[in-house]
Amino acid sequence: MAVRKIVMHPADILEQECKPVDVFDKKLTKLLDDMYDTMIEFDGVGLAAPQINIDKQIAIVDVDDQHGTIELINPEIIESSGTQSGPEGCLSFPGLFGEVTRPYKVKVRAQDRKGRTYELEAEDFLARAIQHEIDHLHGILFTSKVSRYLDENELEELTEE
Ligand SMILES: [Zn+2]
């Protein structure tokens, strides 16, 4: 278990399509565990492999204890519906927050660390976090979807909530 270094924007690895995972071995398990340590260390609710300089379709999301840590390997959004708008940030853009509109609900198909395919339905903030991380795997950054950046006062209100 180890905390990895986060790649900050701008960096090519953050803006390219990641490769699918086809080997589910101990190295992958170690990587997922390191991603978890890194996400916790930097107080994130999700982390994608390119953010630690690995161009593979691997992401984790952990928004609350109820859902725990969700491991998304080769994830695909197979259904989405509704819309939601809310503030978003990213560990690769420290201190930057903006309002992003995304589908409210998604259905995702992905593989777990053993290569088993599963499906997951998520809504609201969890759906937002999952979509943000899946975007990373395709080189899409949240800044390309921000409708409005939030200033310091608005940020303070958010952190006080
Ligand atoms: Zn991000």
Side-chain angles (χ1 to χ4, degrees), residues 51 89-91 132-133 136:
Q51 292 183 280
C90 180
L91 294 178
H132 178 114
E133 299 312 329
H136 270 299

Side-chain angles (χ1 to χ4, degrees), residues 5 9 12 15 89-90 142 155 157:
K5 191 170 178 280
H9 181 268
D12 289 345
E15 298 191 70
C90 180
F142 86 111
L155 281 181
E157 278 170 34

Side-chain angles (χ1 to χ4, degrees), residues 38-150:
T38 308
M39 177 185 68
I40 296 299
E41 174 73 18
F42 295 100
D43 208 15
V45 293
L47 188 71
Q51 292 183 280
I52 55 165
N53 209 28
I54 292 180
D55 68 338
K56 291 279 178 67
Q57 289 187 24
I58 306 166
I60 58 171
V61 170
D62 192 329
V63 299
D64 57 28
D65 291 342
Q66 189 200 332
H67 297 95
T69 307
I70 297 165
E71 297 181 343
L72 299 157
I73 300 167
N74 303 326
E76 255 184 289
I77 293 172
I78 51 176
E79 275 175 44
S80 62
S81 60
T83 56
Q84 58 171 318
S85 292
E88 234 168 85
C90 180
L91 294 178
S92 296
F93 293 83
L96 191 67
F97 294 87
E99 191 153 286
V100 177
T101 300
R102 296 185 183 274
Y104 180 76
K105 205 171 165 182
V106 290
K107 189 171 180 181
V108 177
R109 184 179 294 147
Q111 283 167 282
D112 67 11
R113 58 171 66 200
K114 292 191 170 151
R116 294 175 296 212
T117 299
Y118 70 94
E119 287 182 6
L120 169 80
E121 283 185 304
E123 54 183 50
D124 208 345
F125 186 63
L126 178 61
R128 167 181 297 284
I130 287 173
Q131 292 174 81
H132 178 114
E133 299 312 329
I134 292 178
D135 274 354
H136 270 299
L137 306 182
H138 303 288
I140 299 164
L141 298 171
F142 86 111
T143 46
S144 71
K145 298 187 169 176
V146 166
S147 55
R148 188 174 67 86
Y149 286 99
L150 303 175

Side-chain angles (χ1 to χ4, degrees), residues 29-48:
T29 302
K30 164 100 173 60
L31 175 63
L32 284 160
D33 291 344
D34 285 358
M35 285 174 69
Y36 178 78
D37 288 350
T38 308
M39 177 185 68
I40 296 299
E41 174 73 18
F42 295 100
D43 208 15
V45 293
L47 188 71

